[in-house]
Structures are given as structure tokens and as C-alpha cells.
Amino acid sequence: MMPGRCRWVASALLLALHGLLCLQLGARAEMQGDDGSIEDGSSIHFPVSPPVVPDGAEERREHFRALAAKDQFRHERLLAMSSSAARNGSRRQARQTSKVPDVLSDTSEFAELPMRSALNIAHVGMYLVSVRFGTPALPFNLVLDTANDLTWISCRLRRRKGKHYGRSSPAKTMSVGADGAPVKKATTNFFRPSKSSSWRRIRCTQPVCGALPYITCEPTETASCSYHQKVQDGTVTIGIYGMEKATVALSDGKMAKLPGLVLGCSIMEAGSNVDAHDGVLSLGNGEISFGVIAASRFASRFSFCLLSANSDRSASSYLTFGPNPAVMGPGTMVTDISYNDFIRVAFGFHVTGITVGGQPLDSIPPEVWNDKVKYGGVILDTGTSVTGLVPAAYDAVTGALDSYLGHLPRADIAGFEFCYNWTFTGDGVDPAHNVTIPSFEVQLKGGAVLQADAKSVVMPEVHPGVACLGFRKLLDGGPNIIGNVLMQEHIWEFDHRTGLMRFRKDKCANHHLKDGSDSNSTANVHQAPRYVN
């Protein structure tokens, strides 16, 4: 019943959003297919392509130089957001605010969105997700960002007569053809609110506007609810807020509408990479995050699998909302999600230690991993590429790894401290050069273990014939950041309702909706014990 769907809210913002949502739709019409129904157990799935690293020597060098520079700038902005959040205590943790009525959260359905990486996006190591917004629905390629709570798309408002500030004219993106060569795409997509019948502009006078982040208008103004956001990688977006719907395809061929999404209609962007995508898809910890809102319709969980940049270019992976059978399998680990008190749009896990070659790095102080200490803890950030560690952890990790590689000739690559004139393939075992990349394990609360792949620890072919340690020193402070290089070739699931994350090693290739009645079995799952604080 309608009251049952809308009876539970945990904040003023969610109350306002649910109010708008309940006015728009009723009962099961909120998520329905073309024929008005969705069968239990149906799913939504889309392919995802891996990032592409250039083949040419100088292009590769420039690729990794730009990647390191992007990560550094993103970290500086992350610290700035931390300082801002410390002064503003109004933002609440998603685990406290993302609960939804039982009729929604108990569904067994799940949805997947397509992810890929354009060639110029690969130069900064970001993944793209394809999402269809508006009515009629149009596709937009958005950056996957787990440390952001604002989803925005480049817009063209009618009053601006087609102009858009911050974009080249025309804005072009690049993709990769079947032969691996760059292929020019069509002009960057722009969202046009005036042409979407489902767009609902939010005004400054509406209560929901005052609860939204980054706003720049006063409640007495009758204008559109405007925002100004500057994020970690230096990207700036200025625009207006609205409510919109996304269209998703079900596995049985039906189409479904996902309403109640808070969307930033960006009329101006600044940053070195804004021409390479249509906007940002937020999966961060915030009440307006696409990840939080969409997951609330699908059992409050979402998952993704990031393909290696070295994967075959025909491979695909996915972003899933709802229970994902692929998460459960041999070696699945379960641990608590940690919510950092100082960077509240991000989330991570509780680290208890790191081992290299089976040896624990006991020299790392425990407070490095404590997310209750400023600059402590660990966050997971798909927008960052190379894992960043505070000096005490970085020195211990790189020192231990260098003891296995230090006899190799050193190479000088901008953005990396430890690089070697050495080429490795496969598992990193090279008897000819007396090199074996050691095991690298991150020990987590409850006994879960993240076992990184060799090419995530030592990045191959940063320059032809040169490999570099995949870590960066955070000289300006933490928290420690697990980047997408270390996260690749794992499937990750985040359940904000229970505060748990699940992960396991996976090549992430072409297994969107695993069929198998026993795929949900927990027989092979490492169950970390639950803790009550």
C-alpha cells in the first residue's frame, strides 16, 4: 500500500525526496516494466569495457604521468572536502539514512548498468558507466565515482540558446574500435531538461533545496535550486537541481523506469577531463547519491567488477543494483563497511594490517588504519587510480616490495618513486631475472583478506620495459586510498543497510547474470563476525 511504501524516512532530505516520489507514483508503479509488472527475480544488465592504455612508448609515459598527476590533485581536493565536512556536521552516514520500506528493500530483483572506458578517459584511469536518463530516455556516459555524492550531466538549458560553458565546441570523445585503434565518437551528449517530460526542477523555495549539498541559493529566492561543486580531481560543476528518472533494461527484454533520482543539470564545467565524458555517476555515501537512491529500490546494495586495463578489449563487466549472484562464490570475503568521520561522502573498510610475502608489516602504527582519527582509516575510491598511503604505511610497503626488486636497474618515471627496467607478464615470476613479485595481502576486520593481483602491486609497462610499484605517498595526510588499480579483477558488493561489504577475486568478464540455483550458497563464503559498538 502507498502508506507502507512511504512511511519510513530518516532525515529531512529523504522525507522531501520520498514525498516527491510518492506524489509521482503509486505502489508497484514505482518500478515497473512496459506491461506494468516486473517478475520476481528479474534483473537488469549491461556490458562494461575495461580501461585502455596506449600502446606507443611516449603515449604510455604521458598516460601514467597524467594518471599520477590526476591522483595527486584528487587527493588534495579530498583533503579540502574533509576540512569542509568537519565544519559542517549536517551530512549523515548512508547506513543511518538509506533504509527504505520493507516492500522495497526485500525485493530479490537486481539491476545492472553498463560501464566502459573511452580512450581519453583511460589517460586518467577512470571507468565510464552508461545510463539512460529522461523521457524519452537518452544514454549518457558517466564517470563511476565512489567518493562523490552528486550525480550530474552536462546540460543545455533553453534560455542559453544551445551554449554550454566549459566545453569545447563541439565536444568530442574517443572510443576504441575492434582493431584497438582510436575511433572518434559523436559529439558529447547534452541533457536538455526542456525535452524531458519527467524532469522536475527543484526551486530554492522548496524545503528539499535547503537540505541538498553544495547549494548556492537562498530559500527566499524563486529561482531554480542551484549548486556549485568542486571535487577531488579539480573538476568544477555549476548547475541546477532537479528530479529525474532513469530507464533500465530488464533481463527479459522489458524496460523499467527508476524514478526519484536527484540529478544535477550542469550548465558549466571546468577541469582537464570534462570533454571526455557526459558527467558523473555518484556511488558515494550521501543521501542524494545515485548509489544510495538506486540501491534503496534493490535491497539497499550495489556491486561492480572492474576489469583490468590489460584485459581483452572485447571483454565486459558491470555495475549491479540489487542482489548479485556473481558475488557469492569460492573465496568470497565479508567485512564491515567503514564510514570515515572526516570524509563523509566516501566509505571503505577497517584494515588491521598488511603482509608482504607472508610477513606482517608490524612497523605500521595502528592509528594509520583508525578512521576515527583525522587523516586515518581507508577509503575505496574508483576515481583514484594508484593506491595512496600515508608515509608510515607507504615506506613500510614500498620498502618490503623493493627488497624483492631492488637488484633490478632503476628507471625514472614522473609520478612514481619505485620503477625498474624490467618486463613481466603473467603472475610476476621471472626466474631469468631472479624476480618473484611477493604476495600482497590487506588484512581486514573480522578476518577477511584482500589478496591483490601481482599487476596491481607492480604496474607493468608503465613505459615499455619499465614496471613501477603501484603506490603513491600521501605527503599531505590521509585517509589512505585504495584506488581502482588495486580494486581491479575483484567483484565488490556494498550493502549499506547491513553495513557489510563482500568481495572476491574475479576476472569480471562476461558473466552478467549467473544462473545457478546454488550461486547464492554461503558454503564458500568467509563470514566475518558481526561487531556491536
Side-chain angles (χ1 to χ4, degrees), residues 237-250:
T237 171
I238 297 173
I240 62 174
Y241 279 118
M243 303 288 290
E244 189 49 285
K245 298 178 181 180
T247 298
V248 292
L250 301 176

Side-chain angles (χ1 to χ4, degrees), residues 323-325 328 516-523:
N324 185 351
M328 309 304 287
S517 58
D518 61 348
S519 61
N520 286 312
S521 171
T522 58

Side-chain angles (χ1 to χ4, degrees), residues 475-486:
L475 294 173
D476 297 323
N480 301 278
I481 303 170
I482 302 296
N484 59 43
V485 172
L486 200 65

Side-chain angles (χ1 to χ4, degrees), residues 64 67 100 248 266 282 317 368 385 419 430 441 470 480-481 533:
F64 286 103
L67 184 148
V100 292
V248 292
S266 177
S282 63
S317 64
V368 164
S385 300
C419 293
D430 182 3
E441 297 182 344
N480 301 278
I481 303 170
N533 294 324

